[in-house]
Amino acid sequence: MAISLNIPQERELARLIDYERSTCSVEGELVYRCAFPYRPVDELQAELIDAGALAAKAEGKRGTIVVITSDGYSFFLERNRAERERVRREKRDARLIGLSALFAALCVVAGFLLGRFLA
């Protein structure tokens, strides 16, 4: 994952993305990107800028604005992909353990039967 965020940072980023999707998109397609005002006293905004989820840009007339970076947009997609991959690996491991146990049980039964009939 490109960036790492704590829970308040995740919530703030999700809020900004939801706001942008609701105001800057038509039929689910993003038409333009929102520019948020830069608030130097907002610690959460500063943390998101430091983490790389937001970027501050100097604009001539408007002063400094904040926009969501590509890492910010992809954060939730990457987090969900990583979670799905973790669950897939856990299921694969459980299946391998189950198959190993089944094979061991079959070997014990086959050994018992061979010992019983060949003795």
Side-chain angles (χ1 to χ4, degrees):
M1 196 176 308
I3 58 177
S4 177
L5 302 177
N6 60 31
I7 293 173
Q9 292 168 343
E10 285 183 18
R11 287 181 182 154
E12 178 66 9
L13 181 60
R15 186 188 69 78
L16 293 173
I17 290 173
D18 287 342
Y19 176 80
E20 185 174 74
R21 285 184 181 149
S22 67
T23 60
C24 305
S25 63
V26 175
E27 296 179 9
E29 293 294 321
L30 192 63
V31 178
Y32 57 91
R33 294 175 61 183
C34 288
F36 303 100
Y38 177 66
R39 298 181 308 250
V41 294
D42 187 354
E43 292 178 19
L44 197 52
Q45 189 182 63
E47 291 172 4
L48 286 170
I49 291 170
D50 289 341
L54 299 177
K57 294 183 177 184
E59 288 288 321
K61 295 179 183 178
R62 294 187 280 180
T64 304
I65 60 168
V66 175
V67 294
I68 302 170
T69 64
S70 59
D71 285 343
Y73 285 117
S74 64
F75 173 76
F76 294 105
L77 297 173
E78 285 296 315
R79 187 184 68 179
N80 291 340
R81 184 199 57 77
E83 179 64 21
R84 284 192 311 271
E85 181 64 24
R86 184 188 64 77
V87 167
R88 187 190 68 78
R89 277 194 317 269
E90 287 176 358
K91 285 182 179 179
R92 184 195 67 209
D93 291 347
R95 282 193 301 266
L96 285 173
I97 291 169
L99 286 173
S100 297
L102 179 64
F103 182 71
L106 288 175
C107 287
V108 167
V109 169
F112 174 75
L113 292 176
L114 283 174
R116 187 87 158 146
F117 292 117
L118 295 178

